[in-house]
Amino acid sequence: MRVLVLGGGGREHALCWSIARSPSLETLWCAPGNAGIAQVAACVDLDPESAEAVVGFCEREAVDLLVVGPEAPLAAGVSDAARTAGIAVFGPSQAAAMLEISKAFSKEICIASGAPTAAYGVFDTPDAAKAHLEQHGAPIVVKADGLAAGKGVIVAETTQEALDAIDSIFDGPGGGRVVIEEMLVGEEASFFVLTDGKTALALAGAQDHKRAYDGDTGPNTGGMGAYSPAPAFTREIEQATMDTIVAPVLLEMRARGTPYTGVLYIGLMLTVEGPKVIEFNARFGDPECQCILPRLKSDLLPILLACANGTLEDQSLDWKSDACLTIVMAAQGYPGSYARGDEISGLDEAASDPDVLIFHAGTKAQEGTILSNGGRVLGITASGQDVAAARKRAYEAAGAIRWETGFCRSDIGWRAL
Ligand code: AMP
Ligand code: GLY
């Protein structure tokens, strides 16, 4: 098969690494890719958010399957344009990706399908939002309705924080609409399913660390590390999530004429009343993807194709019993401003352990050296018989990497130990 992957982060490196192992792969491209992805795929310099550029490439190169990594190309309508051109696409339509693109829409689907989630209200003016706040008080959660690059959610401990959050959202990029939610209490977990719109196959559960610094302190990030399986996400909770959330939500999306296909990311709060939806994403979580895919025994590529073709019913997933843990190395200053172009060495030494994989999230190669080229730069992933063993290996590998201005948390996986 001839496959094009869109994206250039750690998630896409893990996807490309996994696809590259498939016996049915003929050629793999990734747009735009990065220095690590270039080791397993041909990187293509095209704009993944341009439907014209992506469809043009797929037609010229006779691509059999387009795999969309991040959400931005979905929001830009790239998956729809490719499907219209007759290309098989792993990734939802723009209409189905609304589950991630609009928080108000995702809440509406939860209510319509009966999937448990936090009580909420949607407000189009600051005054209406503030009136609701006056009634409910803090703690409370204030969210921008639209995509806000991870900056659109404020868990407000005080009424003042909530008021400031409302003002900043109406002034910001997430659209002139806020969702205000009841604060849920419990442990968080990420869960992923692959689906063709009818059948859903459960991927493993994982937990990530969203805060920048040790002890889960500091600013929110895209994720500083993750591990799978997550001991808190038990078989019973997985079954409850499939029955009370995944099945009814997929049914509701189908009934509306916008079936959801691809990977559905369910951000969960494991409350005393059972798992509740915090959010949906229309893509794999990153770094969660980096510690889930190495645990998969099955050939990923035919399964991605089955999601695109509506034949997932005939597929199943086989897992290794090993646990896997990923440590993100980020550029100093991330998630704020940071420098690019700093030299990184020791990568071969770090990857010399056969149980270690180094996924690149933001790198570029220049005359044989690897340079940092993003906020999150590397995902040091290791497997082991349990999370503790995986963690030990991952930190040993991270210790071999020489990058003066990089940092990582020293406590990834603490909840599982
Ligand atoms: P999101 O961008 O929707 O993943 O939200 C970012 C983070 O905010 C989540 O990972 C949670 O830690 C927190 N959060 C969002 N919604 C709620 C809620 N209703 N109750 C408690 N925490 C929440
Ligand atoms: N790690 C969280 C996310 O991908 O959104």
Side-chain angles (χ1 to χ4, degrees):
M1 256 199 288
R2 299 162 70 80
V3 181
L4 171 65
V5 175
L6 298 183
R11 164 182 47 220
E12 288 77 24
H13 191 178
L15 278 166
C16 286
W17 170 83
S18 198
I19 292 169
R21 298 155 63 87
S22 175
S24 50
L25 181 72
E26 184 192 321
T27 312
L28 179 61
W29 294 274
C30 185
N34 64 39
I37 293 173
Q39 295 161 8
V40 290
C43 293
V44 191
D45 186 19
L46 65 78
D47 177 4
E49 289 167 48
S50 161
E52 201 187 331
V54 172
V55 172
F57 182 89
C58 290
E59 286 176 338
R60 266 195 317 283
E61 297 292 349
V63 165
D64 300 302
L65 178 68
L66 174 67
V67 178
V68 184
E71 67 281 11
L74 303 171
V78 172
S79 54
D80 300 280
R83 250 182 223 112
T84 303
I87 300 154
V89 183
F90 176 81
S93 65
Q94 185 188 46
M98 288 308 284
L99 277 180
E100 168 166 5
I101 297 168
S102 164
K103 296 208 188 280
F105 178 76
S106 75
K107 298 298 279 190
E108 181 191 318
I109 294 294
C110 285
I111 300 304
S113 64
T117 191
Y120 77 109
V122 180
F123 306 95
D124 289 313
T125 65
D127 285 348
K130 287 175 186 174
H132 176 86
L133 182 63
E134 233 156 67
Q135 270 179 10
H136 289 82
I140 202 155
V141 183
V142 182
K143 303 184 174 186
D145 176 50
L147 294 178
K151 298 197 174 80
V153 176
I154 297 100
V155 181
E157 299 292 342
T158 65
T159 308
Q160 190 56 48
E161 267 179 82
L163 288 169
D164 294 346
I166 292 169
D167 286 333
S168 77
I169 288 172
F170 277 101
D171 293 340
R177 177 176 260 200
V178 302
V179 175
I180 300 188
E181 274 184 20
E182 159 203 13
M183 190 171 102
L184 297 174
V185 179
E187 206 168 313
E188 277 182 60
S190 316
F191 179 55
F192 304 87
V193 297
L194 296 175
T195 178
D196 61 359
K198 305 183 295 281
T199 303
L201 292 184
L203 285 163
Q207 278 180 307
D208 81 341
H209 295 264
K210 291 208 162 89
R211 301 298 192 99
Y213 312 133
D214 283 6
D216 290 327
T217 59
N220 255 316
T221 71
M224 293 301 292
Y227 48 94
S228 174
F233 192 75
T234 60
R235 284 247 163 252
E236 293 70 45
I237 296 176
E238 176 176 318
Q239 196 56 53
T241 306
M242 291 301 280
D243 296 342
T244 66
I245 297 171
V246 175
V249 164
L250 293 181
L251 187 65
E252 178 67 23
M253 293 301 285
R254 226 163 48 234
R256 291 182 181 222
T258 52
Y260 186 96
T261 67
V263 57
L264 180 63
Y265 168 141
I266 305 132
L268 292 166
M269 190 70 87
L270 310 181
T271 75
V272 289
E273 292 159 15
K276 294 191 180 183
V277 176
I278 295 180
E279 60 162 347
F280 293 117
N281 289 310
R283 52 174 174 81
F284 278 104
D286 193 10
E288 292 97 316
C289 183
Q290 301 178 50
C291 64
I292 289 176
L293 292 183
R295 296 187 54 225
L296 188 63
K297 242 194 244 170
S298 314
D299 182 355
L300 181 65
L301 187 50
I303 296 167
L304 299 181
L305 186 66
C307 289
N309 289 343
T311 53
L312 198 59
E313 208 180 356
D314 308 330
Q315 301 282 341
S316 60
L317 294 173
D318 242 356
W319 296 93
K320 299 178 190 165
S321 60
D322 282 4
C324 205
L325 179 139
T326 301
I327 301 162
V328 169
M329 293 190 85
Q332 221 165 66
Y334 174 79
S337 59
Y338 50 81
R340 293 173 195 254
D342 291 329
E343 188 175 334
I344 302 168
S345 60
L347 290 167
D348 290 342
E349 191 190 329
S352 62
D353 180 337
D355 290 319
V356 169
L357 291 161
I358 313 278
F359 292 124
H360 292 220
T363 60
K364 74 175 183 199
Q366 198 172 294
E367 291 157 12
T369 35
I370 301 290
L371 305 178
S372 67
N373 192 36
R376 292 190 293 173
V377 172
L378 297 169
I380 319 299
T381 298
S383 47
Q385 62 182 19
D386 53 24
V387 174
R391 168 179 152 130
K392 184 163 176 289
R393 283 206 180 100
Y395 274 107
E396 275 164 14
I401 291 172
R402 287 179 296 281
W403 171 24
E404 258 170 51
T405 53
F407 78 98
C408 63
R409 281 181 54 165
S410 68
D411 63 348
I412 299 304
W414 68 267
R415 259 179 219 285
L417 300 178

